[in-house]
Each structure stands twice: as structure tokens, then as C-alpha cells.
Amino acid sequence: MEDAENGLTVLFRELLSELYEEMKHLDERVEKLEQKLETIAANNEACKLLLTIPGIGLLSATALFAAIGDISAFKNGREMAAWLGLVPKQQSTGGVPTLLGISKRGDTYLRTLLIHGGRNIVRVADKHDDRRNNWIKELDQRRGKNISAVAVANKNARIAWAVLTKKEPYKAAA
């Protein structure tokens, strides 16, 4: 934009300048919203507990807290994972059940956040050597990255239920 001899018209330069100012404004707005979320998470015990789970970040923790409300509404972690749509659909014929893809019921936004967190955990699993990451590496080799990400999201939903029920931070298995 500063190079007057690069062949851009004055009108195009003005448009680029306006778009740049709009992007700066949006960046500032996002930063303010993140600060508000950080304040909410810092003042809320449930969010602090959820943030101890690998793969659950600020957005996921605050969104889960806001959506769940009372954790006692769920009998167990599987029920919460099913509510989020992270469990396999079942189809049975002749008494033989067949597991299909995930049911995709429930809150799409929450499910997406948890799956993206799961993707991140799958991506870095080979850098760690513990029980959970070994399970993730084996699953990734057998089934692929996408199925592994959904499996980690399902596991994180169950862990989130346990953490919120017991009111204790997440502790990785030895």
C-alpha cells in the first residue's frame, strides 16, 4: 500500500485500507472477548476443573459449563457423551447390533469444540509416552486421525463428567 508505483489503483488502496482497519477492529474485539472468558473461567470452580483436562481449553470449558448447568442431570459420563452426540449410532437387525458413525445429536458447537481439542491431542500424542497417549497412538494407527479425534473427544466428555461430579482436577493415569 505504501509503494505508489506497484500498479494498484487509488480506489483499490482505499478498499484495502478499510479492510485492514476492519480486521484490526475485529482482532481487538476478539481479544476483549477472550479476556472476558478468562475472567469467567478464573472466577468459576467448574471451569478451572475442566481446564485441567488435556484437549479442553478456554472456549470448551466455558461453553461446557454454560451448556451443562447442573452435572447431576447426567447419570454417567456415557450419558453426557451421548447428549453431545459423541457415541456411535446403533442399528440392529435380528438381535445383532451394528455400530455406525457418531450420532451427531446434541449441541453441534460443543461437539465441534471437543473434536477439535481431540484433534490437537491426537496430533501431539507421539511426543508423549504415557498410558493415554499410547492408547491414542495405537488407535490412530488402527483407525486414522478423524476417528481417533472423535474417540478422544468422547473420552474427554466422560472425563469432564467425572471431574465435575467429583469436584477434583484431572489426574492422568500412571
Side-chain angles (χ1 to χ4, degrees), residues 26-37:
L26 290 174
D27 282 343
E28 291 168 2
R29 188 165 175 223
V30 166
E31 193 173 311
K32 287 179 185 174
L33 289 172
E34 278 184 0
Q35 288 173 350
K36 286 180 182 179
L37 286 176

Side-chain angles (χ1 to χ4, degrees), residues 14-29:
E14 288 175 7
L15 284 171
L16 284 177
S17 177
E18 288 174 16
L19 287 172
Y20 177 72
E21 291 301 319
E22 187 176 341
M23 289 207 34
K24 278 184 13 183
H25 171 71
L26 290 174
D27 282 343
E28 291 168 2
R29 188 165 175 223

Side-chain angles (χ1 to χ4, degrees), residues 50-64:
L50 288 171
L51 285 169
T52 63
I53 303 169
I56 294 186
L58 183 63
L59 284 176
S60 302
T62 52
L64 269 171

Side-chain angles (χ1 to χ4, degrees), residues 72-123:
S72 64
F74 302 106
K75 186 171 56 178
N76 54 33
R78 178 169 168 72
E79 197 172 281
M80 189 169 112
W83 176 72
L84 290 167
L86 290 168
V87 296
K89 274 191 287 190
Q90 288 187 353
Q91 183 176 15
S92 59
T93 178
V96 178
T98 304
L99 297 178
L100 304 171
I102 61 172
S103 66
K104 294 184 183 173
R105 294 177 183 242
D107 193 335
T108 306
Y109 179 68
L110 277 174
R111 185 174 53 255
T112 303
L113 285 175
L114 288 170
I115 291 173
H116 284 312
R119 253 189 208 113
N120 193 37
I121 296 299
V122 170
R123 185 178 58 82

